[in-house]
Amino acid sequence: MASDPTPPSVIGAIAHDRDGKPLGTVTAVYLDDVTEQPTWVGLTPGTHAAPDDDEVPLIAPVTGSQLAEDRMQLAVDSAAVHSAPRATRPDHLSPEEETALLEHYRGSSTTPARGGDGSPARGNESVPARGGDGTMTLAEEQLDVTTVVEPWTRAVIRIEEVSEEVLVPVTITRQRARIEHLPLAHGDREPGQAATGERQPSRSTGWVTLYAEEPRVSLERVPAERVRLTTTWETEQSSVTEQLRHEEVDLSTADTPRD
């Protein structure tokens, strides 16, 4: 069973469970291979969420659902949707995965118990039952805690430019002057020496230009990395405090015994 390549009008609708609790955004529709009718929908947590090619959505049945404008109300509760088996691919359901989903939702469909007047029975308002042998059945309140997905914050990607100092080692080369001594052979005359052999003072000065390398820095703005905004689920422990009532037995006797 593959998802519909041409998204119908249900894509983008906000899905709610049968009690009206929001479940997420419809981002995929799975059609039956034979009838080509919508059978399952894929839900991505959050309102106005966009489909992600790498994220496998939550799978919920279309049977019994109602669609009004941009709101889709399913016929199952939120606990069944969040505990449903996950598919391995976001765009396809295998026969084994569809069978597991059918068994899951068949086992999670429950009908609320009703009282004698047709209204739902209230488990925390029961009356103690007295048996014929003098025994009594005591009742107590029990706490049933479930979770519901609600939007809690909005995240926006902003680019800020920061400056940091970078130290780059550079090897440079420069010229140095040094003196070389050249010995004279016998009979060679030194510059400035007369032919008679008399030495004349030498006052000439030689200038040499020395060169050196200098580092030259140029800046170029290039792409460094690509970022995108994604969402992940993190689990944390939370405590819920509630006052629960229970029944106790009190034994009372007469102060004066009978004659």
Side-chain angles (χ1 to χ4, degrees):
M1 175 176 294
S3 60
D4 189 3
T6 58
S9 59
V10 72
I11 295 293
I14 306 302
H16 296 73
D17 70 345
R18 63 185 181 186
D19 299 326
K21 298 178 182 179
L23 296 173
T25 305
V26 179
T27 55
V29 177
Y30 300 89
L31 306 181
D32 187 83
D33 294 335
V34 179
T35 62
E36 296 185 355
Q37 295 297 321
T39 307
W40 306 91
V41 291
L43 307 178
T44 299
T47 57
H48 307 290
D52 191 345
D53 296 336
D54 300 330
E55 184 178 3
V56 179
L58 299 173
I59 309 299
V62 179
T63 304
S65 61
Q66 297 179 358
L67 179 64
E69 296 181 355
D70 58 347
R71 173 188 172 95
M72 182 179 185
Q73 185 167 4
L74 303 176
V76 294
D77 58 359
S78 59
V81 175
H82 289 293
S83 60
R86 302 297 292 269
T88 57
R89 292 174 50 185
D91 58 344
H92 183 269
L93 290 179
S94 64
E96 294 79 10
E97 293 172 346
E98 187 177 9
T99 301
L101 287 168
L102 289 173
E103 294 177 356
H104 169 75
Y105 282 105
R106 286 172 184 169
S108 62
S109 60
T110 58
T111 303
R114 297 188 174 273
D117 57 350
S119 62
R122 301 178 182 178
N124 56 357
E125 294 182 1
S126 60
V127 179
R130 182 185 297 273
D133 55 353
T135 61
M136 299 181 64
T137 301
L138 304 181
E140 65 178 5
E141 293 179 340
Q142 294 183 352
L143 191 62
D144 184 16
V145 181
T146 59
T147 60
V148 59
V149 178
E150 295 285 351
W152 69 282
T153 188
R154 186 184 299 272
V156 180
I157 292 182
R158 290 188 176 91
I159 298 178
E160 297 181 356
E161 189 170 291
V162 296
S163 299
E164 62 179 2
E165 184 176 352
V166 179
L167 179 62
V168 180
V170 180
T171 302
I172 60 175
T173 305
R174 62 169 55 94
Q175 294 178 332
R176 293 184 180 274
R178 62 189 181 92
I179 299 176
E180 293 184 359
H181 298 271
L182 300 177
L184 296 176
H186 182 71
D188 293 342
R189 286 185 301 190
E190 186 179 353
Q193 185 177 5
T196 59
E198 296 180 358
R199 178 180 177 84
Q200 300 294 330
S202 176
R203 296 184 177 85
S204 62
T205 301
W207 294 92
V208 178
T209 302
L210 303 180
Y211 294 89
E213 296 178 345
E214 293 184 355
R216 179 169 298 176
V217 179
S218 61
L219 298 179
E220 181 181 2
R221 184 181 293 270
V222 297
E225 61 180 348
R226 187 184 300 273
V227 297
R228 67 174 180 177
L229 181 62
T230 60
T231 58
T232 58
W233 288 92
E234 296 182 355
T235 302
E236 62 179 10
Q237 295 293 331
S238 179
S239 300
V240 178
T241 304
E242 186 69 26
Q243 295 290 335
L244 300 180
R245 297 176 297 176
H246 66 279
E247 297 174 343
E248 295 181 351
V249 175
D250 182 19
L251 177 62
S252 59
T253 59
D255 296 337
T256 304
R258 291 185 178 180
D259 295 335

